[in-house]
Amino acid sequence: MAYCGGYTTMEKDRIKQAYLDFVLNEGHPPQSVFKLTQQLGIAEQEFYQHYPNFEAIDREIWADFGRRARETAAGEPVWESYGSREKLLAFYYTLLEILKQNRSYALMSLRRSLHRMPGLSPRVLDDFRQDFENFVSDLLSSGRVSGEIANRPLVQDGYPRFFWQQALFVLGFFAKDDTVNFERTDAAVEKAVTLSFDLVGRNTLDSAVDFVRFLVRR
């Protein structure tokens, strides 16, 4: 059967919303694809035209959270005047607002995933991670051009992975935060971002290296 693009998108969104509603109501994913499609009144094979499994829906939901956070933050009039540090902060704060709006699913998903894989990146965040590391790479590249980020060829390729660990810290902190409106998470974000940019920015070590280079060239 042929589908037009708009209808296909509508069906995909309908499946995703039905899955999300089930998880929120029941506290766990459906027992099978068949049960979900039966509830929707569609053939099981139609589900597989859009997703291979429920885990793919979870990954897409988290990728949607990240995409919306980036687009919303970048849409603010002050975005272009921000340096790399301020842009990352704006992304995190916007992401947290989105997660607060979807707190039941976000907390349920994070607590389940982080508990299964302590210290590792949960698979549910795979797509979110890829987009995040690309976003951070662009921020750091711009920061090196502006001088906000130190140019360190031997180590800077590893920075996106370093910042991903920071993102995992923020999400884990959010999942465990029991303060009103997740106020401690907001504070943790600011401290984590400040520390990370202190580490990747120009510091005393860079000044010392520049001085040694100057002396060697004499």
Side-chain angles (χ1 to χ4, degrees):
M1 181 182 293
Y3 295 89
C4 68
Y7 178 76
T8 301
T9 301
M10 287 175 59
E11 278 301 293
K12 184 176 183 180
D13 289 344
R14 184 166 169 251
I15 291 170
K16 180 163 59 176
Q17 189 60 52
Y19 169 80
L20 184 57
D21 290 342
F22 187 98
V23 171
L24 290 173
N25 287 321
E26 303 297 331
H28 58 80
Q31 291 182 335
S32 68
V33 170
F34 175 78
K35 286 188 178 295
L36 182 66
T37 54
Q38 187 179 47
Q39 178 182 313
L40 280 169
I42 62 175
E44 187 174 0
Q45 70 180 46
E46 188 159 338
F47 176 95
Y48 293 111
Q49 292 174 353
H50 304 290
Y51 299 105
N53 49 45
F54 292 141
E55 288 78 10
I57 302 181
D58 286 316
R59 290 196 298 273
E60 186 174 287
I61 291 172
W62 274 97
D64 288 345
F65 289 159
R67 175 183 51 77
R68 284 172 51 198
R70 292 191 304 277
E71 291 177 354
T72 302
E76 292 295 322
V78 293
W79 178 260
E80 293 303 324
S81 67
Y82 282 166
S84 297
R85 175 182 176 277
E86 288 76 17
K87 286 181 177 178
L88 185 58
L89 275 173
F91 165 78
Y92 275 135
Y93 288 140
T94 307
L95 175 65
L96 288 175
E97 288 305 310
I98 291 171
L99 296 183
K100 290 172 189 177
Q101 294 165 14
N102 298 272
R103 71 170 66 191
S104 294
Y105 172 80
L107 291 177
M108 193 183 308
S109 174
L110 281 174
R111 287 167 179 168
R112 183 174 68 241
S113 302
L114 294 173
H115 176 71
R116 288 178 182 171
M117 304 180 67
L120 300 177
S121 298
R123 288 204 61 196
V124 70
L125 299 178
D126 280 354
D127 296 344
F128 177 95
R129 174 181 182 170
Q130 182 175 341
D131 292 342
F132 176 82
E133 289 190 359
N134 289 337
F135 168 64
V136 166
S137 292
D138 290 342
L139 288 187
L140 297 177
S141 179
S142 298
R144 283 191 289 273
V145 172
S146 68
E148 184 180 1
I149 308 297
N151 187 32
R152 300 183 184 127
L154 295 178
V155 297
Q156 63 193 26
D157 287 347
Y159 284 171
R161 292 188 294 276
F162 163 69
F163 276 88
W164 172 244
Q165 292 303 313
Q166 176 190 84
L168 278 181
F169 162 77
V170 169
L171 292 175
F173 202 98
F174 170 78
K176 297 175 183 177
D177 191 358
D178 57 2
T179 56
V180 176
N181 204 31
F182 301 96
E183 292 174 353
R184 290 194 65 213
T185 302
D186 289 342
V189 165
E190 183 173 0
K191 292 182 183 301
V193 171
T194 297
L195 174 61
S196 62
F197 274 85
D198 284 347
L199 293 173
V200 302
R202 288 189 59 81
N203 54 37
T204 304
L205 178 60
D206 295 293
S207 299
V209 170
D210 286 345
F211 183 62
V212 170
R213 286 174 178 166
F214 170 74
L215 293 177
V216 170
R217 289 172 184 166
R218 289 185 61 188

